[in-house]
Amino acid sequence: MKTTSFSIRTKLRVEIVSITDRVNEALTELGGVDGICTIHTPHTTAALSINEDDDPDVRTDLARAFDKLVPEVRFDHAEGNSGAHLLSTLVGVTLQVPYLESRLALGRWQGIYFLEFDGPRTREVRIYFP
């Protein structure tokens, strides 16, 4: 199995970053021709998702909605970021995506998003493929 990773520096508490190009670059650099890759972020207050990546308003709309999705709930976790843990659990930290000729096999409008729920932070994304 081949693996690589890259860092993302977020600037906002809730932020959505398109990482499609970076994943495609990694597949090309490591010589992944055809197969299925696993994309993973090893964080408990972040997530990964596939969604429309043509109109940047989708990202800002989703970030605004995620920010409002978890109402004020009394959490016992002392760090004050339990809402971010909940959102990470709901969205998920791992994707499996097919690729053909070293490019993600996504739909016409689709892209890979890194979702930050507890920023700003420096985060890691890992890619695994055969």
Side-chain angles (χ1 to χ4, degrees):
M1 178 181 308
K2 297 178 185 177
T3 185
T4 189
S5 65
F6 57 86
S7 295
I8 296 173
R9 176 71 186 150
T10 59
K11 299 176 185 108
L12 304 171
R13 187 177 67 77
V14 176
E15 183 176 352
I16 299 175
V17 179
S18 176
I19 61 170
T20 309
D21 291 340
R22 294 186 74 181
V23 174
N24 278 326
E25 288 170 15
L27 289 172
T28 299
E29 289 172 14
L30 291 176
V33 179
D34 294 344
I36 296 176
C37 66
T38 300
I39 308 162
H40 175 74
T41 187
H43 304 288
T44 60
T45 57
L48 297 168
S49 180
I50 297 175
N51 212 306
E52 186 198 314
D53 201 19
D54 185 57
D55 181 351
D57 288 341
V58 172
R59 282 179 276 176
T60 55
D61 289 346
L62 288 173
R64 190 176 322 116
F66 279 125
D67 200 35
K68 303 284 185 217
L69 189 61
V70 179
E72 290 299 317
V73 175
R74 190 186 80 70
F75 292 109
D76 292 331
H77 182 51
E79 286 184 46
N81 62 354
S82 288
H85 289 290
L86 175 61
L87 289 169
S88 176
T89 298
L90 292 174
V91 178
V93 297
T94 302
L95 298 172
Q96 288 190 304
V97 183
Y99 59 91
L100 301 168
E101 299 178 10
S102 300
R103 306 269 314 157
L104 294 166
L106 297 170
R108 178 178 180 166
W109 307 111
Q110 289 180 320
I112 307 290
Y113 287 163
F114 176 86
L115 295 91
E116 173 66 76
F117 298 125
D118 192 29
R121 292 181 183 249
T122 298
R123 302 294 198 155
E124 180 184 12
V125 173
R126 298 175 183 166
I127 304 161
Y128 304 89
F129 60 96

